[in-house]
């Protein structure tokens, strides 16, 4: 990047946005107390969720603050093995029916209304029961937060398959082999390294937003080099620039669907030498799609 490892600033409406461009800067920013560099305040300023969701705010001091986090990181993860076969069946039917509106809605209704709402109820502590209004706000907030990343990723993946049909055969063979392998769960990234790499490369070149890790400075923040960011400004990671930097990726502008895999001695595709750090769901400095490593939006499964 042209920043050459230095902090740089871009003026925005009512504030400056300071971009961190090195691993050390990212670690310093993500290690700061949440009451100094606040993600919640940045999101509140950008999207005004209290207006969209009828007065709802994410407040770490609220005893019910952990409810959606528990539902996402614990209960959804525990239920994934039971959900995935149902999703596969619905997806297959939707493709066979050419994705009519009814088929799309049936997936949404069955998964979220019958299951996800129940997980939120299960995650609620008896001492701090949730009112129906708060429960509805949690569901709306999580739907709003997760409604763009996955659909856009899958859309770009389909586009890449159309642009690069040479990937269809090896990906299909891997899927069939995994489903026929009784020793494989079929749901872990290491079971399908080619698919994992293809999706990661798709996301690398088509990030949903060009920035990540938005943080509002609640009181002055000082970096180790002496740079001070005043109150009410923002810190961000320029993720698109990092993920297209030739310092971290060979031929970064070219689509290489199997960039993150290698072949073992038996000719089978496996994760590259960096191991699980190369998997799609693992955040790294070079792949900040999920945010910084310390506080990323992901659930470790390895």
């Amino acid at each position: 990047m042209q920043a050459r490892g230095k902090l740089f600033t871009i003026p925005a409406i009512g504030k400056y946005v300071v971009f961190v461009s090195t691993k050390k800067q990212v670690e310093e920013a993500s290690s700061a107390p949440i009451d100094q560099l606040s993600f919640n305040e940045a999101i509140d300023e950008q999207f005004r969720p209290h207006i969209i969701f009828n007065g709802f705010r994410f407040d770490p001091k609220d005893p019910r603050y952990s409810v959606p986090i528990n539902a996402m990181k614990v209960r959804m993860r525990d239920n994934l093995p039971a959900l995935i076969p149902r999703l596969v069946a619905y997806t297959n039917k939707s493709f066979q029916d050419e994705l009519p509106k009814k088929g799309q809605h049936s997936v949404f209704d069955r998964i979220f209304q019958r299951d996800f709402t129940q997980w939120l109820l299960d995650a609620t502590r008896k001492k701090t029961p949730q009112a129906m209004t708060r429960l509805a706000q949690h569901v709306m907030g999580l739907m709003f937060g997760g409604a763009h990343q996955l659909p856009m990723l899958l859309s770009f993946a389909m586009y890449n398959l159309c642009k690069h049909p040479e990937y269809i055969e090896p990906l299909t063979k891997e899927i069939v082999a995994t489903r026929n392998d009784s020793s494989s769960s079929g749901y872990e990234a290491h079971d399908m390294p080619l698919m994992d790499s293809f999706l990661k490369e798709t996301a690398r070149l088509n990030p949903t937003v060009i920035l990540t890790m938005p943080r509002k400075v609640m009181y002055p923040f000082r970096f180790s080099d002496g740079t001070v960011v005043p109150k009410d400004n923002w810190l961000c990671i320029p993720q698109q620039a990092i993920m297209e930097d030739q310092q971290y990726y060979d031929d970064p502008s070219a689509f290489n669907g199997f960039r993150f895999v290698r072949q073992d001695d038996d000719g089978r595709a496996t994760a590259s030498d960096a191991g699980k750090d190369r998997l799609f769901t693992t955040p790294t400095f070079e792949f900040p799609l999920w945010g910084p490593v310390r506080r990323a939006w992901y659930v470790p499964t390895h």
Side-chain angles (χ1 to χ4, degrees), residues 268-293:
R268 294 172 301 185
T270 62
S272 64
D273 293 330
K276 69 178 182 179
D277 287 345
R278 304 291 277 188
L279 294 177
F280 177 40
T281 55
T282 304
T284 64
F285 169 73
E286 297 82 7
F287 189 75
L289 186 76
W290 310 112
V293 175

Side-chain angles (χ1 to χ4, degrees), residues 201-220:
E201 180 73 348
T202 297
R204 183 184 73 85
L205 291 175
N206 302 278
T208 307
V209 292
I210 63 173
L211 311 175
T212 188
M213 200 191 82
R215 299 290 188 270
K216 183 176 180 179
V217 181
M218 305 307 293
Y219 57 90

Side-chain angles (χ1 to χ4, degrees), residues 2 4 10 13 19-20 83-85 90 121 125 128 138 149 156 169 180 187 190 211 216 222 237 248 258 297:
Q2 296 181 357
R4 300 184 184 278
I10 294 178
I13 299 176
F19 293 92
V20 293
L83 287 175
I84 290 178
Y90 277 118
L121 289 170
R125 299 175 183 176
T128 55
H138 278 160
Q149 188 89 289
F156 283 119
E169 182 178 356
N180 293 336
Y187 309 132
H190 56 70
L211 311 175
K216 183 176 180 179
R222 180 185 295 272
I237 297 176
Y248 308 116
F258 297 156
W297 288 94

Side-chain angles (χ1 to χ4, degrees), residues 8-12 15-19:
F8 63 99
T9 304
I10 294 178
K15 61 179 177 289
Y16 284 92
V17 179
V18 180
F19 293 92

Side-chain angles (χ1 to χ4, degrees), residues 171-181:
L171 288 172
T172 301
K173 288 182 177 179
E174 182 182 65
I175 293 171
V176 173
T178 302
R179 294 186 68 176
N180 293 336
D181 184 358

